[in-house]
Structures are given as structure tokens and as C-alpha cells.
């Protein structure tokens, strides 16, 4: 009997304590489930050292469920104080609905170049609603040992990519690690990763938005045509291969190259792979190169937050040199978007960020404006691009389907 | 003399009734109601009569997916009907024969997969069939069939049937057990009488045993129907909510999931989800109705 009372007492005390602790706790909504440890062990403690007494909780949702779950929590009034922002339309949508605070002129914002802020501004550029955090760069990784053994150089042109792939295949290894079972890689890594070299990065993307180009134009179809040739270079049964399989395949040294993004650097380092990176190959030697340098993550303040003063303090810290340094060098492969001079320590990450010096940067093709209607272009691209890689759809059919869906709702102002 | 109201029955039934109303009947009715609403961008809902249903059935970019899911669901159900249940019947018939050694062991082994979580089943089979790490190709190689191996889970033509067969493998124990229980419940005298009359074992099976277990076969059919049209977990755990490749494994359950919870950049909508759920409910209701009207009524006289 006494025991039960004790337990009850303890329970009530615990609930009260939890309630008290929660009153001042900042909660961060995010889709970066993989970074939970990093936030809890590195970033948040670093912030608390400067701002003692502010409790911060990092509470991520799986990426595929993030948008929907966040929207539901915002509608229900249970969302966190700080909200990790997807680039462009998804966050713009939140801002238009009044879920995010306007951040112009707030502390920390002055540390970012205009180009970084574009992803989180209204179309006229007047309101900024999220602080830019990081971008990711797309390209290829290659296994240095396999390349050395076969006496190969990282390919610079499409032809070289095919030659290198043939040579690796002859040697009995998988040339490129890539699967289509999860679909998103086909679109976000392959199509919008290698594509900018064909449609000249921003030039092609802006032409689509202006209504001056169509997906059925040769510069876009060319990207699909290249993809349709990859089948023989991928592992057997790649249509049933998941992203995890792909990572394993490259990490275990069974594949010579992997179509990847900078966010994977940390994983392959952990696995102890000796690897380098090369940017998406160009059509002819000497052509200008373009890379998908995607402004990927921002951070905004929930307009219904009860703790805006602390949220603002946190945001100010996110705009600081210290955060930029920690984020770039601890969350390897995510590159801070701030103006601070950061020494990138990881060799592969450094290699990738240096591409910015010679190549034109662009974002993922459909990230801005093109995703606003129905059918949803992102979802369509996942389906179409994996079908092209699987050899189930011709490049022309892919272009037709995307253009048809697009023209159903998009009428650019002329 | 008027009988007094049997209050004790009311009192004893009330708790169960209350629980069912609160947790089963009321949510169902509320789902039907919610299907008539639409959600605006800010999350507020307003009455829109049949707008959701019109969209699901006639607006090409929703209806294509809906009918595709419906068709796939039908295939999923047919595979179970044509493969799972006959195998269940066969196994039950074999197990109920006299003098089968180790019958209990067989029963247990065949029933075991049913006890495992679908997520585990999905994961195990994904590994077994994986073209990179799986054992299937090697095993097929031992019997000289390695060339026949395909990434079955990754091809549009085969993915749905592969998943159906995984589900059959897992659940075959249930029809087996139900039919087995019905078979051993047949009174021995009837069989003995037939034996005395000189009927062969084959004839006894088809003209005596099978007609006597028809109600059970009917029950198995309806359980398979309801189970398959409510299926979701296996496909979600193996192929994710997009039910790839190219929606070839999309069934009503996964379609509902995307409509209700959203996926990737598609936002979820509780009202549209409720409309899909209502349509699923109506399909099942219609199936059960057909079964009761055409089959169950005629079976009554065989029950014992």
C-alpha cells in the first residue's frame, strides 16, 4: 500500500517537473532524422554554453512524412517553436498561410548573401521567412582503389563516363551503384544532378519558369536519353535495389562509382572507404560545367510559438560563425550558406565545395514554382525517372508525360 | 401474463455495446460524414457534398490511381482465392487423414509464419529475393535454374504477384486450420456408413466431406475478401507508400495512406482520406452482401 502511494507521488512529481521543464523548452521540427545525435551531442550543447538556461529539443520526423505531419501539427497548434524549412514552395506555402514569422532585419540574417536567401523569400523577394542553413551538392563518388587498380581516371565527359564504366564492367565489378526501388534517387540525384550540364543550369531552369522552354526540348530530353543508357552499368536487379543497398554496394567496394550527394560523405567516411568525388560529366571536353548546388535547409520561427524571444536567440546563433563552422565540419556534406569564411576540413567535402569555383551552381530543376500545381511534379518525376532508368519508358515518353502534366496547370505570365 | 423485461441481459450487454459504439460504430459513421467535407489550405473543413467522390472517380489524376489500386487489389484477392485457399484445403485434407505421422508438427510449422509480424516477413523476403544479397539466385543455381532468377520485387510485371505470394505463404495456415477443424468435426458414423456402402476415399471426400464443410469454405472466402481489401502493411513495409515500381503494387490501403497522411511533397487530407476509406468500406460491404445473398442463404441447410 505504502509503495503504491510512493509511486503515485513520484509520478505526480515527475509530471509536474516535466511540465515545468517544458514551459521554457524550444522544440525544433526537422526531417533530418539522421542528424539527431549531432544536434543533441554537438550543436545544442554549443548553443547552451552561450545561452545557459534555454532548453532545446530536437524532434525530427521521417523525411517522407515531414511535410504532412508538420502541416497537421501547425493546424492543430502543437508544432515546435523552430521549424526546419524545405526550400522554395513548401515553405512559401507555410508563410502564406501565416505559419512562419517574417525574419527580415532580424539578428543573424545579415550574414547571408542574397542568393542564399532566395529559397526562402516571397516571389517578389520582399519577405524572407527562414534563415538559410545549408546546401547539398550532387555528384559522383569513386572508389580510389578500384580506379587505381584498373588504371582509370575520374571521367570528365559523358564519353569518358561510359568508357570508365565499360572498363569496370569488364573487370567484373559494378560500375555505378544506383537503385530505383526507392525512386527518389532517380530524380533528385540522377535527373536533377546530371541534368544541369545538358540544360545549362539556371538558364534552362529559368527558361522553363518563363515558359520559353518545354520539357520536350532537346536539352531536357538529352538528360533522359543519357539516363536510359545506364541500365547495363548498374548492379544486377537494380530495379529492386534500395538506397541502403546502394550505400552498401559502394561501401563494400563492389561498385566503382556511386551517384550520390554530399550528404553521404559522412556515411562513407564512417565505413572507412577511400574515395574521391567528381562532378557530373559534361558533354564535350572544355564545356562549362554546372552542378546541382541545392539550397536544402533553412530554419524559421513558428508564428504561434509561445517562446519567440528564445527562438530568436537560437536563430541568431544559427546565423553565427560558430554554427556555420560546426555545421559544415561536423555534419559533413552540408555546406553552410553564410558569408563566414569556413575552412572545410574533410577532403571530399572540400573537393565538392571547390566545384563552385569553376562550375555554375543551380538548384534542383523543379524546386521553385514548378512544383506548385497538380499533378505534383516531384512525385511525377520520381515515377518517370525510375521508369526511364528501368528501361520501361523512353526518354521521349518521359518528356511528354512531364510536359503534359505541367502544361495542365502552368500558364506563365507573358 | 406479461414477461418482465430481462434487465440482467441489458445490464450485461451494455458495457460491450458501449465499447463497440464508442470505438467502432461511431468512428465509422463519422468517417462516412467526413467524406462529404473538403479541407481548405488553412485546415478548416466545409461541407462539399460529393466533391471528393467525384474527384476520386472522375478527375483523371486521382481516378487513374484509384482504379489502378482497385484493379491491383482485385488481383491480390484472386491470387489468395486461387492459390492460398486451395492449398489450405489440400493441407487440411492431408492432415485430417488417419495415421499421418507428425501431423501436429506439420500444423505448427505451417502455421508459424502467421504468428510473425508482417514487417518481419516483408524484411525477410526482401532479403531472400534481393538480387544483391539474397540467397534465391544461389539456391536456384543448385537446380540449374539460375538464369530464371529475376529481381521479382523490382519489376512492374512481377512485383504485385511476388508480394501476393509472400502473403499467401504467411497466411496459408489460417484457412488450413479452419478447414481442418471443420473436417475433423464431421461425425465418424457418416464416413463409416459411406465406407460400408463401398464408396472410394476420393468419392467420400468430394461428395460427403466437401459439402459438409461448405459453410467453412464460405467463411474462409469472406475472411480472405475482407482481409485482402483491407490489406496494407505488407506492401507498405516492402515497397513504401509509393507502392512502386510505377504504382504497380498500389492497392487501396496504400492509396488511402497517401490520401490521408500524405507522402513526400503531397500533403495529407483527412477528408479525402475519409472518402477513400468510405469507398473501401462500400466495396467490402458490397462483397459481403453478394456473398450473403447468393451463397450464405443456400448453405444454411448444410450447417450442423
Amino acid at each position: 500500500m505504502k509503495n503504491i502511494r510512493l509511486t503515485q507521488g513520484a509520478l505526480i512529481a515527475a509530471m509536474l517537473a516535466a511540465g515545468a521543464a517544458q514551459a521554457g523548452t524550444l522544440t525544433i521540427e526537422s526531417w533530418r532524422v539522421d542528424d539527431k545525435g549531432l544536434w543533441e551531442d554537438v550543436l545544442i550543447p554549443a548553443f547552451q554554453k552561450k545561452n545557459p538556461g534555454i532548453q532545446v529539443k530536437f524532434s525530427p520526423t521521417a523525411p517522407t512524412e515531414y511535410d504532412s505531419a508538420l502541416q497537421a501539427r501547425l493546424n492543430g497548434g502543437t508544432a515546435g517553436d523552430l521549424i526546419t524549412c524545405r526550400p522554395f514552395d513548401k515553405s512559401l506555402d507555410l508563410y502564406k498561410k501565416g505559419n512562419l514569422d517574417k525574419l527580415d532585419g532580424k539578428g543573424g540574417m545579415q550574414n547571408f548573401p542574397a542568393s542564399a536567401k532566395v529559397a526562402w523569400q516571397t516571389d517578389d523577394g520582399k519577405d524572407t521567412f527562414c534563415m538559410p542553413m545549408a546546401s547539398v551538392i550532387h555528384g559522383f563518388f569513386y572508389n580510389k582503389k578500384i580506379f587505381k587498380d584498373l588504371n582509370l581516371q575520374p571521367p570528365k565527359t559523358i564519353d569518358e563516363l561510359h568508357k570508365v564504366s565499360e572498363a569496370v564492367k569488364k573487370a567484373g565489378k559494378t560500375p555505378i551503384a544506383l537503385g530505383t526501388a526507392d525512386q527518389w534517387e532517380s530524380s533528385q540525384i540522377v535527373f536533377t544532378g546530371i541534368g544541369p550540364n545538358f540544360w545549362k543550369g539556371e538558364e534552362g531552369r529559368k527558361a522553363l519558369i518563363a515558359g520559353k522552354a518545354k520539357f520536350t526540348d532537346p536539352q531536357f530530353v538529352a538528360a533522359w536519353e543519357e539516363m536510359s543508357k545506364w541500365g547495363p552499368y548498374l548492379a544486377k536487379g537494380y530495379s529492386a535495389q534500395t538506397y541502403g543497398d546502394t550505400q552498401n554496394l559502394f561501401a563494400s567496394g563492389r561498385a566503382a562509382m556511386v551517384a550520390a550527394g554530399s550528404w553521404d560523405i559522412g556515411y562513407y567516411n564512417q565505413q572507412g572507404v577511400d574515395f574521391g568525388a567528381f562532378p557530373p560529366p559534361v558533354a564535350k571536353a572544355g564545356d562549362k560545367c554546372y552542378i546541382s548546388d541545392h539550397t536544402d535547409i533553412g530554419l524559421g520561427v513558428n508564428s504561434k510559438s509561445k517562446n519567440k524571444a528564445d527562438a530568436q536567440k537560437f536563430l541568431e546563433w544559427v546565423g553565427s560563425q560558430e554554427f556555420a563552422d560546426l555545421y559544415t565540419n561536423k555534419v559533413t556534406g552540408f555546406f553552410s550558406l553564410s558569408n563566414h569564411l569556413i575552412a572545410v576540413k574533410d577532403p571530399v567535402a572540400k573537393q565538392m565545395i571547390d566545384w563552385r569555383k569553376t562550375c555554375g551552381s543551380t538548384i534542383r530543376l523543379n524546386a521553385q514554382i514548378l512544383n506548385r500545381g497538380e499533378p505534383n511534379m516531384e512525385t511525377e518525376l520520381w515515377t518517370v525517372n525510375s521508369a526511364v532508368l528501368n528501361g520501361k519508358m523512353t526518354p521521349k515518353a518521359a518528356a511528354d508525360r512531364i510536359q503534359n502534366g505541367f502544361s495542365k496547370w502552368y500558364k506563365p505570365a507573358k | 401474463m406479461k414477461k418482465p423485461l430481462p434487465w440482467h441481459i441489458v445490464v450485461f450487454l451494455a458495457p460491450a455495446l458501449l465499447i463497440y459504439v464508442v470505438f467502432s460504430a461511431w468512428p465509422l459513421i463519422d468517417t462516412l460524414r467526413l467524406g462529404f467535407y473538403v479541407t481548405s489550405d488553412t485546415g478548416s473543413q466545409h461541407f462539399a457534398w460529393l466533391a471528393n467522390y467525384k474527384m476520386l472517380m472522375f478527375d483523371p489524376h486521382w481516378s487513374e490511381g484509384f482504379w489502378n489500386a482497385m484493379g491491383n487489389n482485385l488481383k491480390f484477392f484472386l491470387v489468395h482465392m486461387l492459390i492460398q485457399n486451395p492449398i489450405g484445403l489440400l493441407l487440411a485434407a492431408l492432415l485430417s487423414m488417419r495415421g499421418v505421422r507428425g501431423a501436429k508438427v506439420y500444423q505448427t510449422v505451417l502455421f508459424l509464419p502467421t504468428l510473425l509480424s508482417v514487417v518481419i516477413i516483408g524484411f525477410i523476403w526482401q532479403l531472400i529475393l534481393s538480387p544483391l544479397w539474397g540467397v534465391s539466385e544461389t539456391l536456384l543455381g543448385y537446380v540449374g535454374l539460375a538464369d530464371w532468377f529475376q529481381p521479382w520485387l523490382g519489376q512492374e510485371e512481377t512485383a504485385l504477384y511476388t508480394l501476393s505470394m509472400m502473403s499467401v505463404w504467411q497466411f496459408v495456415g489460417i484457412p488450413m486450420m479452419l478447414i481442418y477443424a471443420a473436417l475433423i468435426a464431421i461425425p465418424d458414423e457418416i464416413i463409416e456408413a459411406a465406407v460400408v456402402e463401398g464408396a472410394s476415399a476420393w468419392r467420400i471426400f468430394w461428395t460427403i466431406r466437401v459439402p459438409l464443410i461448405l459453410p467453412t469454405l464460405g467463411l474462409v472466402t469472406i475472411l480472405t475478401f475482407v482481409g485482402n481489401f483491407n490489406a496494407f502493411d505488407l506492401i507498405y513495409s516492402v515497397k513504401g507508400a509509393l507502392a512502386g515500381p510505377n504504382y504497380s503494387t498500389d492497392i487501396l490501403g496504400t492509396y488511402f495512406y497517401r490520401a490521408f497522411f500524405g507522402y513526400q511533397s503531397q500533403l495529407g487530407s483527412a477528408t479525402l482520406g475519409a472518402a477513400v476509406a468510405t469507398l473501401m468500406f462500400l466495396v467490402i460491404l458490397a462483397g459481403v452482401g453478394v456473398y450473403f445473398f447468393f451463397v450464405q442463404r443456400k448453405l444454411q441447410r448444410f450447417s450442423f
Side-chain angles (χ1 to χ4, degrees):
Chain A
M1 198 63 194
K2 203 175 173 189
N3 265 337
I4 294 174
R5 285 231 184 98
L6 262 177
T7 331
Q8 276 177 345
L11 207 66
I12 291 167
M15 282 164 78
L16 282 176
Q22 233 141 33
T25 304
L26 281 178
T27 308
I28 305 175
E29 298 274 356
S30 174
W31 70 86
R32 288 293 308 166
V33 183
D34 299 355
D35 298 346
K36 194 169 194 297
L38 238 128
W39 278 89
E40 283 168 358
D41 302 337
V42 180
L43 298 171
I44 293 172
F47 167 73
Q48 283 172 329
K49 220 176 192 179
K50 295 250 162 70
N51 298 276
I54 302 180
Q55 295 298 315
V56 187
K57 197 175 141 226
F58 185 72
S59 137
T61 314
T64 47
E65 266 121 55
Y66 179 71
D67 294 334
S68 228
L70 175 67
Q71 187 65 65
R73 282 199 285 268
L74 284 167
N75 288 342
T78 55
D81 308 274
L82 290 158
I83 291 167
T84 305
C85 305
R86 299 227 188 240
F88 299 102
D89 295 356
K90 275 288 157 220
S91 299
L92 180 60
D93 211 34
L94 294 181
Y95 180 67
K96 281 186 180 156
K97 285 178 198 163
N99 294 134
L100 292 171
D101 271 354
K102 189 174 157 168
L103 294 181
D104 294 275
K106 292 275 162 72
M109 286 303 278
Q110 71 280 6
N111 295 333
F112 295 90
S115 65
K117 290 187 207 164
V118 177
W120 296 284
Q121 280 173 337
T122 45
D123 290 348
D124 57 13
K126 277 185 185 144
D127 301 8
T128 311
F129 39 81
C130 295
M131 177 176 278
M133 270 169 77
S135 70
V136 291
I137 295 177
H138 294 207
F140 292 79
F141 297 155
Y142 66 96
N143 186 312
K144 282 189 177 162
K145 186 170 178 304
I146 298 179
F147 268 57
K148 203 175 154 205
D149 289 350
L150 300 174
N151 201 13
L152 298 167
Q153 293 298 319
K156 290 200 176 68
T157 64
I158 292 281
D159 278 347
E160 283 175 28
L161 178 73
H162 288 243
K163 275 190 199 128
V164 166
S165 299
E166 289 294 343
V168 175
K169 201 174 177 189
K170 226 175 254 166
K173 298 228 177 211
T174 303
I176 304 173
L178 172 72
T180 56
D182 293 340
Q183 304 187 341
W184 65 267
E185 311 99 288
S186 311
S187 184
Q188 295 181 356
I189 299 181
V190 185
F191 182 70
T192 59
I194 67 164
N197 276 329
F198 295 97
W199 58 70
K200 299 200 166 138
E202 286 294 274
E203 197 182 306
R205 192 178 74 83
K206 293 210 163 120
L208 279 175
I209 293 173
K212 285 182 195 135
K214 288 195 172 100
F215 281 94
T216 45
D217 291 347
Q219 68 269 35
F220 296 102
V221 180
W224 277 304
E225 255 158 18
E226 175 55 24
M227 285 166 68
S228 70
K229 293 177 194 150
W230 282 24
Y233 304 144
L234 308 183
K236 188 175 179 192
Y238 63 91
S239 62
Q241 182 181 325
T242 63
Y243 191 60
D245 291 338
T246 299
Q247 289 181 316
N248 267 322
L249 204 59
F250 184 71
S252 62
R254 285 168 62 179
M257 297 175 273
V258 60
S262 54
W263 63 85
D264 264 338
I265 294 174
Y267 174 78
Y268 291 126
N269 278 339
Q270 253 173 35
Q271 302 294 315
V273 193
D274 184 18
F275 67 109
F278 62 89
V282 294
K284 282 198 311 289
D287 278 1
K288 182 171 168 56
C289 59
Y290 296 88
I291 51 167
S292 168
D293 184 358
H294 189 67
T295 40
D296 198 41
I297 300 189
L299 195 66
V301 177
N302 181 355
S303 58
K304 300 217 174 62
S305 163
K306 291 193 183 80
N307 200 356
K308 281 196 190 169
D310 284 350
Q312 210 58 55
K313 263 187 212 157
F314 190 84
L315 213 55
E316 205 167 315
W317 181 72
V318 168
S320 72
Q321 164 104 30
E322 185 187 10
F323 179 86
D325 188 36
L326 282 175
Y327 204 71
T328 307
N329 284 315
K330 296 281 180 180
V331 192
T332 309
F334 285 86
F335 304 111
S336 165
L337 289 162
S338 72
N339 284 327
H340 303 108
L341 271 180
I342 312 268
V344 181
K345 292 189 191 113
D346 182 85
V348 178
K350 175 138 183 29
Q351 221 178 339
M352 293 184 98
I353 207 166
D354 281 346
W355 297 344
R356 282 182 183 163
K357 290 177 190 158
T358 45
C359 302
S361 287
T362 179
I363 55 164
R364 286 181 196 150
L365 184 69
N366 56 311
Q368 188 186 24
I369 299 175
L370 307 189
N371 266 346
R372 278 181 201 176
E374 293 282 346
N376 184 298
M377 194 184 287
E378 179 71 16
T379 314
E380 285 278 287
L381 279 174
W382 285 25
T383 310
V384 164
N385 286 319
S386 44
V388 169
L389 280 169
N390 286 346
K392 288 280 161 199
M393 190 180 264
T394 62
K396 196 179 166 313
D400 285 343
R401 173 153 163 195
I402 296 295
Q403 181 59 35
N404 280 342
F406 182 46
S407 59
K408 257 183 211 159
W409 61 269
Y410 191 67
K411 308 271 181 288
K414 278 181 188 158
Chain B
M1 203 175 94
K2 212 179 115 197
K3 259 192 185 172
L5 187 69
W7 278 110
H8 60 285
I9 295 181
V10 176
V11 169
F12 284 120
L13 277 182
L17 186 72
L18 191 75
I19 289 171
Y20 268 93
V21 168
V22 172
F23 291 105
S24 221
W26 184 69
L28 179 65
I29 292 164
D30 202 48
T31 303
L32 300 182
R33 179 192 67 85
L34 201 58
F36 292 125
Y37 286 70
V38 292
T39 316
S40 75
D41 276 352
T42 51
S44 63
Q45 295 166 352
H46 63 270
F47 190 74
W49 192 222
L50 289 172
N52 284 330
Y53 296 97
K54 250 188 223 155
M55 198 160 94
L56 283 172
M57 289 201 267
F58 304 110
D59 176 359
H61 93 245
W62 282 99
S63 68
E64 241 171 66
F66 179 76
W67 294 115
N68 171 51
M70 184 73 91
N72 286 340
N73 225 151
L74 200 64
K75 285 182 207 158
F76 193 69
F77 165 65
L78 287 177
V79 170
H80 283 83
M81 272 316 282
L82 297 176
I83 298 181
Q84 173 189 274
N85 296 346
I87 292 179
L89 175 63
L90 179 74
L91 290 173
L94 291 173
L95 287 173
S96 66
M97 287 197 314
R98 272 171 212 200
V100 181
R101 268 200 211 163
K104 289 282 169 227
V105 177
Y106 285 122
Q107 275 175 33
T108 314
V109 169
L110 291 167
F111 198 74
L112 264 183
T114 311
L115 304 178
L116 284 174
S117 148
V118 178
V119 180
I120 296 170
I121 301 277
F123 188 70
I124 293 173
W125 276 101
Q126 217 174 352
L127 264 183
I128 293 176
L129 295 173
S130 161
L132 290 174
W133 333 104
V135 291
S136 342
E137 196 171 4
T138 323
L139 289 181
L140 282 172
Y142 289 143
V143 287
L145 293 176
D147 290 344
W148 286 33
F149 179 76
Q150 297 288 326
W152 286 297
L153 280 172
Q155 297 174 330
E156 283 178 42
E157 301 80 18
T158 53
L160 181 66
Y161 295 107
T162 311
L163 284 162
S164 311
M165 292 306 290
M166 280 154 61
S167 168
V168 164
W169 174 82
Q170 178 178 16
F171 288 118
V172 76
I174 290 176
M176 178 190 83
M177 284 306 216
L178 288 171
I179 296 169
Y180 175 76
L183 282 173
I184 58 171
I186 296 171
D188 281 345
E189 300 83 42
I190 300 178
I191 308 295
E192 275 159 23
V195 173
V196 171
E197 293 284 332
S200 66
W202 191 246
R203 179 129 192 254
I204 291 175
F205 181 74
W206 284 110
T207 55
I208 299 176
R209 288 190 203 261
V210 170
L212 285 175
I213 61 164
L214 274 182
T216 305
L217 294 182
L219 176 76
V220 167
T221 307
I222 207 68
L223 281 179
T224 311
F225 180 77
V226 174
N228 287 168
F229 273 83
N230 277 329
F232 162 75
D233 34 13
L234 181 68
I235 302 214
Y236 181 73
S237 61
V238 176
K239 304 299 313 183
L242 281 180
N246 200 5
Y247 300 110
S248 61
T249 56
D250 200 18
I251 57 173
L252 290 171
T254 41
Y255 185 83
F256 163 77
Y257 181 91
R258 291 199 308 275
F260 190 95
F261 293 103
Y263 195 72
Q264 191 59 20
S265 53
Q266 178 188 335
L267 288 185
S269 158
T271 47
L272 188 66
V276 178
T278 305
L279 288 174
M280 286 171 76
F281 170 71
L282 291 179
V283 167
I284 291 170
L285 194 69
V288 175
V290 164
Y291 168 77
F292 274 117
F293 192 77
F294 291 104
V295 186
Q296 183 77 12
R297 282 195 316 175
K298 304 196 171 118
L299 288 181
Q300 289 306 326
R301 63 200 179 91
F302 289 117
S303 12
F304 21 62

